[in-house]
Amino acid sequence: MGDITKLIARRLGFGLLTLLVISIIIFFMVELLPGDIAEAVLGQGATPETVAALREQMGLNDPALVRYFSWLGGAVVGDFGNSIVTGARVTEVIGERFINTLFLAAYAAVIAVPFAVVLGIIVALLRNTLFDRVANVLTLTSISSPEFFLGYILILYLSVKTSMFPAIASLSSDMSFPELLHRTFLPALTLVLVVTAHMMRMTRAAIINLLASPYIEMARLKGTPPWRVIVRHALPNAWAPIINVIALNLAYLITGVVLVEVVFVYPGIGQALVDAVSKRDFPVVQACCLIFAATFILLNLAADVGAILTNPRLRHPK
Amino acid sequence: MSDKFKNAPVLLKIKDLRIEGYSEETWVPIIKGVDLTLHRGEVMGLIGESGAGKSTIGAAAMGFARDGTRISSGSIEFDGMELTTASEGEKRALRGARIAYVAQSAAASFNPAHKIIDQHTEAPLHYRIQKRLAAQEDAMELYERLRLPNPKEIGFRYPHQVSGGQLQRAMTAMAMACRPDLIIFDEPTTALDVTTQIEVLAAIRDIVDQFNTAAIYITHDLAVVAQMADTIKVLLKGEEVEQAPTAEMLDNPQEEYTKSLWAVRSFQRPQKARPQGATPLVSVQHVDASYTGGDKVLDDVSFDIHEGMTVAVVGESGSGKSTTARVITGLLPPTQGGVMFKGEALPPSYKDRTKDQLRQAQMIYQMADTALNPKVRISEIIGRPAQFYSGLSGTKLKARVDELLDLIELEPSKYYNRYPPELSGGQKQRIGIARALAAEPSFIICDEVTSALDQLVAEGILKLLDRLQRELNLAYMFITHDLATVRSIADEVVVMQHGRVVEAGPKDVMFTPPHHPYTDLLLSSVPEMDPNWLTTLLEERGVDNVGEAADV
């Protein structure tokens, strides 16, 4: 097991390094944007004096490198500075919204991951049958349709015509958990439709890829029933690619929800990002980008570790 | 039919079996009407070259057609049940329970994700023959009968934690799990070293005897089948050539094809002696080597190769044969010692060697399939080294490629523009030889060049290499684990074990006793055509001193 701990520690180290590089890119890309932040904040009525005063106040006269390190130092302890627009702390602006986004992602993932993997196993078992083709066509259709389109279709049929679910997923703090699930069902379902196809197809492909292996033939020649050949003999060896695709899709559930949040007016981090970009609220933009990057890196790390843990050669060294 | 089984009930009766394979959008016949009758307790050896359809018939005996093949006509009757018309469910109920299968590569045929014993007990549990604990105890008992070390514990390991020979025995034990009436052995020892092969053969024979199990034993090795089978059936390209009881078949084969198979081992070229006082062409001197950070894989390896001579390097897998080749070619710089070429020290890494030093030593590989780029024309595969080392181009290059194709006995006009996948195994290996020759070397390393080939094809390659040696005065380092090949072509022999040279000398001396104990073990482990060879050997060595067990 010592080897695995070392391996995980190394991957974690690389992850942090990547994050550092990304932080540099995020910070300096914002620097490169045309125009002066102070002027942008003050808008049309800015006089040279007020601009200079604001620059002084915001510390914009310091060299970029100094500002980067003070920003990074703050970010490490969770302090991303203050919003330029409202003056509120960035953590306050996006903190609650990030939790909302995580909730929606978790909601969608809890449905989509088991659904996609089980469906993948079933179509692998029934490969090249009508069921396989229909499942493929349907999931492909859902992945090829834009999310806002899917969202509006769901709203039309499940909300407007049948009133089963609310079209607007606004939240309030005094909602009960079942009510919360009911209120956010449509955005979650939209996300499920978007991510299922990818995971299902990878599960199918990874399993079918293994069916030519000698140990699969051996299992068949031992009289093992087809479903058991797939679930017990192929699936345990197919996890690595499946886990990777799951991780990618989970990351997408967190970082790619902007459209869905807009369609359902859901108070998540995507909405915050859109607002911040349109108002040139750079501290918020930087914080969002850094959180997204960290999410991607963490999930990929988890996928790597998962792939390692499902490999018996690594789990049980000689 | 062997008299011994005349009165035993018939277990398997195959009549006019025809099987087709799907290839290039049409169904082509693979098995063209084969009959087979197997009695209870009888062991039938199926032999033939690759493409003879041995494995296909073996699978068909279980009512199983591999993906891309179909049983097109004929009948397969197992103990009164017709398998060609049986439903999938009915056939599945036979597999594992009444007919079991032992595959060629146990390492690939055990599922890497599960413990050995869990795979063993899968069938008995599925058929509800035994409860888990009873099935596990039975497995341990079978492991003990098959003389696996630590029979109580070994099953709880994963396949990759167990050696190849042990895995092959564990697979035989697994086939026995439900005490089937029939076991199909599909080349069960082909992937093993000779010393390991013996214990697997002995184990298989014992267990088949003990339970009076009938078996179909598929192999291309005549000497092996002579030990195992009561009856031998010879196949060629999906058709039966002849069938007879083992002793009769060995003493008195009827058909020309069978005779040619028997005669394969006769090729022998005269042994050459070292030239007196000459500087060796290649001299490996006190070489130690290891792969990054690992243990020593070579330990003080020294031997010489003289101009125009063939030195065979023999040993089991893991003995350091191929690593030595990597050191000589500069792919793996040694940690100690070095390689001399015509008395001059070669730089340890190929990167520091001159073009002329590089051209002198070429390699031919075991798997011509993977050693040739399938997307590149033959003319380019051979032409590139000629271009690189000799700077030829245009018509001169074409002339040189034609000349090389002539040398390897492939008609230039026919093969010049073809791609490797269009060629047979033997032809591909010839292209590999031509590629090595294109550099105009004085020394070629042949790494198991014949082990992936059928005997007749291998014979052709050996003859070709011999002719080229005489015409071009080449020196060969011949890496092999096949002692029959050594006998036929070597001048000198180097025996390696655990990264050390155990013994070295001229071939006639090496094949005459007294030997080093390890050389003796290797030599005596090579199966011979005598059907009593295994029995005699086991008596001599004692049951517990076989193969791997003898090492420990």
Side-chain angles (χ1 to χ4, degrees), chain B residues 187-437:
Chain B
E187 306 251 13
T189 61
T190 307
L192 304 176
D193 284 316
V194 280
T195 50
T196 320
Q197 169 168 275
I198 288 196
E199 61 193 308
V200 176
L201 290 180
I204 290 177
R205 211 171 61 169
D206 276 5
I207 204 118
V208 166
D209 271 356
Q210 282 173 28
F211 295 107
N212 194 31
T213 314
I216 291 179
Y217 196 100
I218 296 162
T219 179
H220 65 272
D221 189 332
L222 299 164
V224 165
V225 85
Q227 312 309 314
M228 309 302 289
D230 302 307
T231 322
I232 294 179
K233 185 191 277 296
V234 183
L235 295 165
L236 173 66
K237 292 178 183 156
E239 282 173 290
E240 177 178 327
V241 177
E242 63 176 314
Q243 178 181 336
T246 301
E248 202 180 307
M249 183 68 104
L250 292 176
D251 293 341
N252 188 20
Q254 300 296 313
E255 299 294 321
E256 277 310 308
Y257 176 69
T258 318
K259 284 179 193 160
S260 78
L261 277 181
W262 265 231
V264 157
R265 289 162 182 255
S266 59
F267 172 68
Q268 189 139 14
R269 88 191 216 324
Q271 181 179 343
K272 266 184 266 177
R274 283 186 187 196
Q276 286 295 316
T279 325
L281 185 69
V282 176
S283 175
V284 180
Q285 299 186 333
H286 307 288
V287 162
D288 287 4
S290 60
Y291 291 100
T292 37
D295 296 335
K296 256 190 205 177
V297 280
L298 292 185
D299 186 0
D300 196 24
V301 170
S302 301
F303 59 87
D304 292 342
I305 299 171
H306 284 266
E307 215 176 60
M309 290 180 66
T310 301
V311 174
V313 180
V314 298
E316 299 176 66
S317 46
S319 60
K321 307 183 298 273
S322 295
T323 308
T324 311
R326 291 174 66 87
V327 169
I328 294 175
T329 51
L331 289 170
L332 180 72
T335 50
Q336 287 282 319
V339 180
M340 309 279 279
F341 188 80
K342 288 184 178 160
E344 279 175 45
L346 281 178
S349 166
Y350 72 95
K351 288 176 199 147
D352 305 322
R353 294 186 184 173
T354 64
K355 230 182 211 185
D356 194 52
Q357 284 169 331
L358 288 174
R359 77 184 301 161
Q360 298 291 350
Q362 294 294 315
M363 276 200 80
I364 310 170
Y365 300 88
Q366 175 176 7
M367 306 301 282
D369 263 330
T370 50
L372 300 178
N373 186 339
K375 304 271 186 206
V376 176
R377 280 179 210 280
I378 303 299
S379 56
E380 204 183 330
I381 291 177
I382 304 176
R384 202 177 286 162
Q387 199 180 356
F388 178 76
Y389 288 113
S390 313
L392 298 175
S393 61
T395 47
K396 275 189 186 161
L397 182 64
K398 173 146 187 351
R400 173 73 178 141
V401 172
D402 286 353
E403 185 190 359
L404 286 164
L405 282 169
D406 269 334
L407 263 180
I408 55 163
E409 295 157 17
L410 294 179
E411 200 181 313
S413 59
K414 226 169 127 188
Y415 291 94
Y416 192 82
N417 278 323
R418 292 175 79 174
Y419 292 91
E422 301 167 23
L423 307 185
S424 72
Q427 288 170 338
K428 279 183 220 167
Q429 198 54 285
R430 281 167 192 258
I431 300 298
I433 295 172
R435 177 170 61 181
L437 291 177

Side-chain angles (χ1 to χ4, degrees), chain A residues 101-132:
Chain A
T101 295
L102 282 183
F103 167 77
L104 187 62
Y107 191 4
V110 164
I111 301 171
V113 173
F115 176 64
V117 172
V118 169
L119 196 64
I121 292 171
I122 294 173
V123 293
L125 191 59
L126 302 175
R127 59 192 174 283
N128 306 329
T129 61
L130 187 66
F131 180 81
D132 180 20

Side-chain angles (χ1 to χ4, degrees), chain B residues 272 281 307-308 400 403-404 407-408 433-434 436-438 440-444 464-476:
Chain B
K272 266 184 266 177
L281 185 69
E307 215 176 60
R400 173 73 178 141
E403 185 190 359
L404 286 164
L407 263 180
I408 55 163
I433 295 172
L437 291 177
E440 297 178 45
S442 52
F443 169 61
I444 297 182
L464 172 68
L465 285 171
D466 178 48
R467 205 199 77 216
L468 293 170
Q469 182 169 49
R470 276 185 274 116
E471 285 174 11
L472 306 170
N473 197 27
L474 295 167
Y476 293 138

